[in-house]
Amino acid sequence: MNRRLFIGGSLGLCAGAVILPAALKGVMAQRDVIEMQLANGTVSIRLFPDLAPGHVERIKSLVEARFYDGMPFSRVIEGFMAQTGDPIKDPGLDYRRLQALAAEFNRMPFERGTLGMARSRYPHSASHQFFITSARAGFLDQNYTAFGKVTSGIELIDQLRRGASDTGTVANPDVIKSMRLAPVRTV
């Protein structure tokens, strides 16, 4: 896959531009599931392109580029969240050149297991880092883009090494072994 495609902009087609047969809609829905392999098991994540199409498209393109493989959970705050996507290795992709995403605030609440995009204080600055909430975090609702939900394996997120109490920075972080779009299953 040509990694240059992931730099500086949006990928893919507008979801509403094509009418798909019912059989293909099921396949498309299967492609909205990510399997994140950790040292102690698999976390399954359902993505919601109807709520945050730009963010889902970005995460899927980075997953397909294997950007998150070997990526540390560099910030883990007890009772709040675990954050990843800040490379400490050469990811094979110049993430600094990724175009910032426009905020896609929506009504999805930040409950336990919700995925959100990390950003600076500027709402339209998300790029490649994301977090998974470990408890209800209502103050994030409609202030950060929610784009997915853990459907199984949240207990594995609970088992990640915790960071410093003031910053959440983890000295010896757990890493993502791999992240892949779930394989298309035939029935």
Side-chain angles (χ1 to χ4, degrees):
M1 179 169 284
N2 186 344
R3 293 177 188 229
R4 286 183 296 130
L5 293 176
F6 300 108
I7 297 174
S10 177
L11 298 175
L13 300 172
C14 175
V18 178
I19 298 172
L20 297 173
L24 286 180
K25 287 181 183 177
V27 169
M28 295 298 286
Q30 287 179 338
R31 298 303 288 174
D32 291 330
V33 175
I34 291 176
E35 294 176 348
M36 178 173 29
Q37 188 66 41
L38 303 177
N40 52 353
T42 303
V43 178
S44 293
I45 301 165
R46 173 83 167 104
L47 302 174
F48 297 101
D50 54 325
L51 298 178
H55 287 70
V56 168
E57 183 178 319
R58 173 66 57 85
I59 289 294
K60 287 170 69 169
S61 67
L62 290 172
V63 166
E64 288 177 335
R66 299 183 180 213
F67 176 78
Y68 296 105
D69 292 6
M71 193 71 66
F73 277 94
S74 56
R75 291 184 67 223
V76 181
I77 299 174
E78 179 77 34
F80 176 38
M81 63 88 202
Q83 182 174 322
T84 188
D86 188 14
I88 57 172
K89 63 178 181 77
D90 176 10
L93 169 69
D94 187 359
Y95 63 91
R96 295 167 297 231
R97 294 191 56 206
L98 288 170
Q99 182 177 13
L101 295 165
E104 295 177 303
F105 301 146
N106 54 64
R107 296 198 180 274
M108 184 175 178
F110 277 91
E111 301 171 326
R112 177 172 164 77
T114 301
L115 270 71
M117 281 299 253
R119 61 171 174 83
S120 70
R121 293 180 193 262
Y122 180 63
H124 307 293
S125 62
S127 176
H128 57 281
Q129 295 187 50
F130 69 91
F131 59 90
I132 302 170
T133 52
S134 54
R136 177 75 171 110
F139 65 94
L140 298 175
D141 292 355
Q142 297 183 35
N143 289 308
Y144 282 76
T145 299
F147 66 94
K149 182 84 173 184
V150 172
T151 57
S152 68
I154 190 67
E155 69 281 359
L156 303 175
I157 301 301
D158 294 337
Q159 296 168 15
L160 295 172
R161 287 185 196 94
R162 303 294 187 253
S165 58
D166 56 341
T167 63
T169 303
V170 182
N172 184 22
D174 291 295
V175 299
I176 298 169
K177 290 175 73 174
S178 67
M179 276 181 71
R180 300 287 182 270
L181 292 174
V184 176
R185 292 171 173 83
T186 56
V187 215

